[in-house]
Amino acid sequence: MAPPVAVSPLIKTARYSALIAGIIYGKRRYDTLKPIAAEERRIEEEEKKVREEQERIAKQLAEANEDTILK
Amino acid sequence: MAQAVQKLVAKVPTLIGAAVTYSKPRLATFWYYARVELVPPSPAEIPKAIEGATNIIKGFQSGRLGQTTVKDALRNGLVATEVLMWFYIGECIGKGGIIGYNV
C-alpha cells in the first residue's frame, strides 16, 4: 500500500471551511424555505376548498339540467 | 409465509457477521489513510494555510501562474473541484437530506 500523502494545510483548511460553510448555508436556506413552503401549502388548501365548492355547485347544476324524460 | 420470515430472521446474524468480516480490512485501510489525510487542520497549520493562500495570490499577481503546465493545471483543477464538493456535502448535512429540501 502506498504511504498516506501529507496533505497541504491550505487544502485541509479549505476543505473543512467549505464543509462548515456548506452546513451553515444548508441550514439557513432550509430555515428560509420552510415558512415559504408552509405559506404556499396554506394558500393551496384555501384555494382547493374554494375550487371544490365551485365544482360541487357546478355538478349540482349539471345534474339538475340533465334531467330528461329519456332516462 | 411465516416460516420463510422465520428462516430469514434466523439468517440475519450470519449476514451481519459476514458483512463485518468483509468490511473490517477495508475499514482498516480507510482508517489508515484517513488518519493522516482527512484530519482537520490543527490550529498550528492555519497560519501556514493563510501563507499558502497569499503565495497563490502573489503568484497570480506576478504572472507566475501563467507558467503552470497543463498537467499541473488539470491536477490543481481536480483538487479545487474536490474542495468545492465538500461544500455540497456540508449543504446536504445542513438541510437534512440528500436530494432537495424537505420543507
Side-chain angles (χ1 to χ4, degrees):
Chain A
M1 280 200 300
V5 151
V7 186
S8 99
L10 174 62
I11 297 182
K12 276 199 266 193
T13 8
R15 273 186 190 153
Y16 278 92
S17 32
L19 185 73
I20 297 179
I23 296 182
I24 297 178
Y25 171 76
K27 188 109 188 48
R28 284 246 180 112
R29 191 151 170 76
Y30 181 78
D31 291 336
T32 324
L33 286 178
K34 208 167 160 63
I36 297 178
E39 184 70 19
E40 279 181 10
R41 259 190 296 235
R42 194 182 58 85
I43 292 182
E44 182 63 33
E45 280 293 319
E46 288 184 6
E47 284 187 2
K48 192 165 124 160
K49 265 193 349 193
V50 169
R51 246 186 307 134
E52 279 193 0
E53 191 66 24
Q54 287 179 338
E55 276 177 15
R56 196 179 59 84
I57 294 177
K59 209 168 79 153
Q60 278 183 339
L61 281 178
E63 277 186 8
N65 278 343
E66 70 172 8
D67 273 342
T68 69
I69 53 176
L70 293 175
K71 260 230 272 267
Chain B
M1 181 62 206
Q3 277 182 338
V5 170
Q6 266 183 341
K7 271 191 266 188
L8 185 62
V9 165
K11 265 213 305 194
V12 162
T14 4
L15 286 175
I16 296 184
V20 167
T21 333
Y22 175 81
S23 56
K24 261 213 172 82
R26 284 161 180 80
L27 270 177
T29 345
F30 170 74
W31 190 242
Y32 169 68
Y33 284 114
R35 234 173 0 140
V36 176
E37 295 184 1
L38 281 184
V39 285
S42 64
E45 292 185 348
I46 301 187
K48 279 195 249 171
I50 302 179
E51 183 191 324
T54 39
N55 268 349
I56 293 187
I57 298 181
K58 273 193 282 192
F60 178 68
Q61 283 171 337
S62 72
R64 180 178 56 92
L65 285 192
Q67 305 286 342
T68 45
T69 63
V70 172
K71 182 168 147 183
D72 272 348
L74 282 178
R75 215 179 35 166
N76 296 343
L78 229 50
V79 172
T81 314
E82 190 229 336
V83 169
L84 283 181
M85 289 306 128
W86 280 57
F87 174 81
Y88 292 113
I89 295 182
E91 188 189 349
C92 287
I93 299 178
K95 70 184 177 179
I98 297 190
I99 302 177
Y101 290 81
N102 296 327
V103 281

